[in-house]
Amino acid sequence: MIQGKIGIIGNGVVIDPEILIKEIDELTEKGKKPKLLISDRANIIMPYHKILDGAEEELLGDRKIGTTKRGIGPCYSDKVARNGIRAIDLTKKDTSNVTKPYPPMKQNFWTSMVSKQNLIQKKSLKPIVRTG
């Protein structure tokens, strides 16, 4: 990041909050406090995306594509299918209805979403999530 500039993570991007927080912390430790904004429509990589990524790769056998198993592909699939979990979903105080439009597998991972929500709020990412 260039000091004094604002970085914007747009709605076409998928984000792993744990990785993002780690990177922000590393920059801060080096004396570089990043100025960052995140689109409320950016999709969030969830633990089940990483599981799916590995499982899909294993099923391909000899035809595997060499995935990083970080959940990026499955998260983009959810984004395209319009049933992904977005940054805005993790900033809501009342998250009781967030999983209603999602398939049962995603509802089963609700506890991991709540942990990501707590992580985001604890690490102060919530204030940098913006609409638009």
Side-chain angles (χ1 to χ4, degrees), residues 34-71:
K35 294 179 181 176
L36 186 65
L37 298 176
I38 301 171
S39 169
D40 63 341
R41 290 175 285 174
N43 280 60
I44 302 298
I45 296 173
M46 300 298 292
Y48 60 82
H49 290 125
K50 295 173 186 178
I51 294 166
L52 283 173
D53 207 358
E56 289 169 357
E57 184 79 347
E58 192 173 311
L59 282 173
L60 288 172
D62 294 340
R63 298 175 296 134
K64 62 184 171 185
I65 59 173
T67 179
T68 60
K69 298 179 184 172
R70 295 190 322 195

Side-chain angles (χ1 to χ4, degrees), residues 86-93 95 117 120-121 126 129:
R86 300 171 303 151
I88 189 74
D89 297 326
L90 299 181
T91 62
K92 295 176 181 174
K93 286 188 180 201
T95 54
Q117 177 187 13
I120 285 174
Q121 290 177 345
K126 183 178 174 180
V129 173

Side-chain angles (χ1 to χ4, degrees), residues 2-107:
I2 299 172
Q3 282 298 109
K5 302 294 181 186
I6 298 174
I8 300 174
I9 299 176
N11 64 329
V13 177
V14 297
I15 301 168
D16 186 328
E18 292 174 81
I19 300 294
L20 179 60
I21 289 166
K22 180 181 174 194
E23 290 175 356
I24 290 170
D25 289 346
E26 287 172 1
L27 285 170
T28 303
E29 286 172 15
K30 293 178 182 177
K32 297 179 181 183
K33 180 65 178 158
K35 294 179 181 176
L36 186 65
L37 298 176
I38 301 171
S39 169
D40 63 341
R41 290 175 285 174
N43 280 60
I44 302 298
I45 296 173
M46 300 298 292
Y48 60 82
H49 290 125
K50 295 173 186 178
I51 294 166
L52 283 173
D53 207 358
E56 289 169 357
E57 184 79 347
E58 192 173 311
L59 282 173
L60 288 172
D62 294 340
R63 298 175 296 134
K64 62 184 171 185
I65 59 173
T67 179
T68 60
K69 298 179 184 172
R70 295 190 322 195
I72 296 167
C75 189
Y76 271 112
S77 294
D78 281 355
K79 177 181 177 47
V80 170
R82 296 185 179 179
N83 66 8
I85 295 169
R86 300 171 303 151
I88 189 74
D89 297 326
L90 299 181
T91 62
K92 295 176 181 174
K93 286 188 180 201
D94 178 15
T95 54
S96 60
N97 66 349
V98 170
T99 60
K100 287 182 184 169
Y102 303 125
M105 186 183 87
K106 290 187 177 109
Q107 292 178 24

